[in-house]
Every structure is written in structure tokens, then in C-alpha cells.
Amino acid sequence: GASGRCMETPADIEGPFWRPGSPERANLDLYADAGNALSISGRVLDTTCRPIGDATVEVWHGYPTAISVEELTPDADVLYDNASEEMRYRGFTVTEGDGQYSFRTLKPGWYQALGAYRPAHVHFKVWREGVELLTTQMYFLGDPFLKADPWAVEDLAVALDVGSDGIAHAVFDLIIP
């Protein structure tokens, strides 16, 4: 920020679906699945707002859906790719000196955990020199399941700006202590 102080990104649970060995790729929209195009970009910064280059930003999320929240039924729950060699909707990229990263994917759908729907979310890990610095999740403002979710951190919810290209753009800076 202008004050030279960046607030540390809150940690959030890893959850049960992380898999080691994600491929290096920024485009996760590779499978012609139905869903809404999503671009995620941001910077990896320290708490004095300096960019962190050479940081690995890893993401993973559940399958996308073309169903609206009003159409949700239990048989519409999305899954994670926990076994295939394709490692769908998983990948990592490495920041340049300016700390910038970006991914192209499809917005993940909803699924139930402990009998309630989780808000749509994308998981993140940040590594540097083999050391894990942050595990967190990005949520979406306005998601109807955000407030009731026992794991969600509301400060991690971002606005989606749908561009003239029809792609929903999310900006999610990762501030590392």
C-alpha cells in the first residue's frame, strides 16, 4: 500500500485434495469443460510491499460447473481430480522479479462438506527455495455459501470483474511474512 505496509494474507486450510507434483503451467483451461472463464492474477509481496521474485505459486481447485447456484442439487457437486495423470485444474508458475503471477482457468463449482455447500474457492500454496511460505484459499465476493462456511476466511474473498472479453478477472495478491 501507499504506507509501505502490506497486510499479510491470512492462511487457510490445505484441505484433503492437495497433490504433490503439479505441472508447471499457467493455463488450466485445457479440457473443454463447461463453465465460466476465470483469470486470476496478482503479485507475491512481502509485508513491506516489496515484490518477491522466484516464488512458486501453486493452485488447485475443484472441477468447474455450468450450473447456477439456484440449480444446485446434491448430484451436481463438483469433484477434484485426485488421481488422473492429467492433474486437471492444478498447476504452478514462478514469479518474475516483479512478483507477478497469473493463471487462466474456469471458475470452480460447489460441493458439500459436512452436509453444507462450501463456497467456490481456489487453493493456493506459495513456495520459495523449497520452503512452503503460505497455504491459503481465494473465495469470491457474493458467494451465497461464504458466510456460513466454517473454513472460509471472508478477508480472502475477491471481486470478479467481467471484462469485455467475457472473462471474469480476479486479482489476488499474496502477502508473505
Side-chain angles (χ1 to χ4, degrees):
S3 67
R5 185 92 186 110
C6 289
M7 294 299 295
E8 186 179 326
T9 300
D12 201 346
I13 61 166
E14 178 180 282
F17 303 122
W18 178 75
R19 288 175 66 187
S22 279
E24 184 169 0
R25 61 184 175 200
N27 182 12
L28 309 183
D29 182 11
L30 303 170
Y31 309 103
D33 289 333
N36 300 302
L38 174 64
S39 158
I40 305 167
S41 63
R43 294 186 304 157
V44 179
L45 305 167
D46 68 19
T47 53
T48 64
C49 307
R50 285 189 305 240
I52 300 176
D54 203 32
T56 297
V57 178
E58 179 182 3
V59 297
W60 71 100
H61 65 75
Y63 282 88
T65 186
I67 291 176
S68 71
V69 71
E70 294 78 20
E71 300 170 296
L72 269 182
T73 60
D75 61 344
D77 278 18
V78 300
L79 301 172
Y80 283 76
D81 178 356
N82 294 324
S84 88
E85 291 181 19
E86 293 175 319
M87 294 190 85
R88 289 178 176 223
Y89 303 105
R90 298 171 184 274
F92 74 88
T93 188
V94 178
T95 63
E96 300 291 328
D98 63 0
Q100 191 76 34
Y101 78 89
S102 66
F103 291 96
R104 172 73 187 270
T105 190
L106 296 172
K107 186 179 176 197
W110 300 275
Y111 60 89
Q112 294 180 69
L114 301 179
Y117 280 101
R118 294 237 42 226
H121 59 282
V122 176
H123 293 265
F124 283 77
K125 278 187 185 285
V126 180
W127 311 78
R128 192 152 191 268
E129 296 170 0
V131 177
E132 186 180 318
L133 303 176
L134 176 67
T135 298
T136 194
Q137 298 181 36
M138 181 188 80
Y139 302 92
F140 304 97
L141 285 174
D143 189 297
F145 304 115
L146 186 62
K147 286 196 186 330
D149 186 77
W151 301 284
V153 178
E154 284 193 61
D155 287 351
L156 296 172
V158 298
L160 289 178
D161 176 32
V162 179
S164 57
D165 53 8
I167 298 170
H169 297 272
V171 176
F172 193 59
D173 289 338
L174 298 156
I175 316 299
I176 306 298

